[in-house]
Amino acid sequence: MTATRNALILDAGFASLPLQRAVKAAGFTTLVCSGKPHDAGMKAADTPIVQNYADYDAVLDVARKYAISAITPGVTDVSYLTGSRVAAELGLPGFDTPDVSNTLFLKDRFRAWAEQQGYPIPRAVKEIEAARHLPFPLLVKPIDAYSGIGITQVHHADELEGAVQEARSASRNGECVIETFCQGALYSHSAFIRGGEIVCEFFVDEFCTVYPWQVNSSCLSLALTESMRDRVSECLQTLVRQLGLVDGLLHTQFIAGEEDFWLIELTRRCPGDLYSRLIELSTGVDYSSAFIAPFLGHADTDTFSARRPAHLRAIARHTISGDDDTDFAGYHFAPLAARIIEAVPLKLPGDPLLAAPRDRAGLIFAEFANFTELARLTPQLKNYFLFKTL
């Protein structure tokens, strides 16, 4: 009789559900850890565990109590950082060392390391006085927040103090970074690493049309040139080797102009808002299974048939959100030359709905008749997928 293999998943949000399904499909019993007992992942788990996974000692106790065989992050930075420490303590696979993880995830540490190594990044400082000597406009960011929370663009030196206070209040560590604003379009690069090499990668066009620092509409890239893709890919392959990254996902947001590009944020967790589903629908690649494989100790060398899989379907992803706090009453979809193929409701009538980037009403996946329409309409999706208020 086969012994039970327990996998501890540190995240119970709705975007972690595809990962939980992949873990179950691999033959593991799922233990899901979250401080939010009503999250979707807790309802789907074989064993839900109400525990804030930011608490390393408590998570380590859970891991030992249930004799876990694997631990996996979800779609939050904290899930990876805690998982990295627990995995290091218990000798479990899939995570970089805590030191490497901190270098990638903490914005101030990454900026300092990347500048020393000569990577293309915004110029960054930590102190207001030093920031006064940088060219404006500047962005002030918490070193460890997510979804654009706490970010402010400042155009004049007298705005710095207020922006720094806001960023620090949004940071778990009370720290921020001040960096130059890079002009260009926003993209993401999602790459799977095996044996120190990028073996599969995806480029996505990203648009922030409700809140300026949070992506709400996206599609597999149609705008990025092949030469720029090659340059970004070569840059990140060098980074993989320099840091000695283990098998897994390296997900990067970057800004690109006509000639130059800048690395903005790198992570090794799964990106949120069902990014995995966008890739799966667009290309047919099982992104979720590929993501969790290294954490389960699986060698999935047959998963990838091409380094850059073909863009097979004209799929867009859109997160429905708003500018103001309100009470949700339902959805309103304006006529659009696309077919809604999946909808993920995240609110019930009467639920409070916070302004972006702190909340969303739902997610939509839409398929267009051709790639021309996909490119034209993806940046406009906020005008077609709306919510009603009470």
Side-chain angles (χ1 to χ4, degrees), residues 274-297:
L274 298 180
Y275 185 103
S276 59
R277 190 65 179 145
L278 173 65
I279 300 301
E280 290 164 1
L281 289 170
S282 300
T283 69
V285 173
D286 191 344
Y287 186 105
S288 298
S289 293
F291 174 78
I292 59 99
F295 302 106
L296 305 182

Side-chain angles (χ1 to χ4, degrees), residues 8 58-68 71 86 90 92:
L8 178 61
V59 172
L60 183 60
D61 288 343
V62 168
R64 286 174 167 154
K65 175 182 176 180
Y66 288 93
I68 64 168
I71 183 169
V86 173
L90 300 180
L92 297 173

Side-chain angles (χ1 to χ4, degrees), residues 74-144:
V75 303
T76 67
D77 288 353
V78 174
S79 70
Y80 191 96
L81 292 171
T82 297
S84 175
R85 294 178 63 193
V86 173
E89 177 68 25
L90 300 180
L92 297 173
F95 290 87
D96 294 316
T97 66
D99 185 60
V100 170
S101 299
N102 287 334
T103 297
L104 281 174
F105 280 79
L106 301 182
K107 292 179 178 66
D108 58 338
R109 284 189 57 166
F110 176 71
R111 293 287 189 269
W113 178 85
E115 182 177 19
Q116 184 181 48
Q117 301 299 323
Y119 284 94
I121 58 167
R123 293 173 59 191
V125 298
K126 295 187 69 173
E127 303 300 331
I128 291 177
E129 192 54 44
R132 298 181 192 277
H133 301 287
L134 296 176
F136 286 80
L138 302 172
L139 289 182
V140 184
K141 301 178 176 182
I143 67 166
D144 52 6

Side-chain angles (χ1 to χ4, degrees), residues 3 10-11 19 23 79 109 148 161 205 208 221 240 257 260 264 276 285 355 389:
L10 303 184
D11 190 1
L19 307 180
V23 170
S79 70
R109 284 189 57 166
E161 187 171 339
D205 296 337
C208 307
S221 186
V240 168
D260 300 310
I264 301 302
S276 59
V285 173
T389 60

Side-chain angles (χ1 to χ4, degrees), residues 249-305:
L249 177 73
L250 176 64
H251 184 79
T252 304
Q253 279 194 318
F254 67 98
I255 289 173
E258 292 186 6
E259 302 294 334
D260 300 310
F261 71 92
W262 300 269
L263 306 179
I264 301 302
E265 185 172 305
L266 286 80
T267 186
R268 304 222 62 195
R269 60 167 172 81
C270 187
D273 286 340
L274 298 180
Y275 185 103
S276 59
R277 190 65 179 145
L278 173 65
I279 300 301
E280 290 164 1
L281 289 170
S282 300
T283 69
V285 173
D286 191 344
Y287 186 105
S288 298
S289 293
F291 174 78
I292 59 99
F295 302 106
L296 305 182
H298 291 177
D300 59 341
T301 53
D302 296 332
T303 300
F304 311 111
S305 59

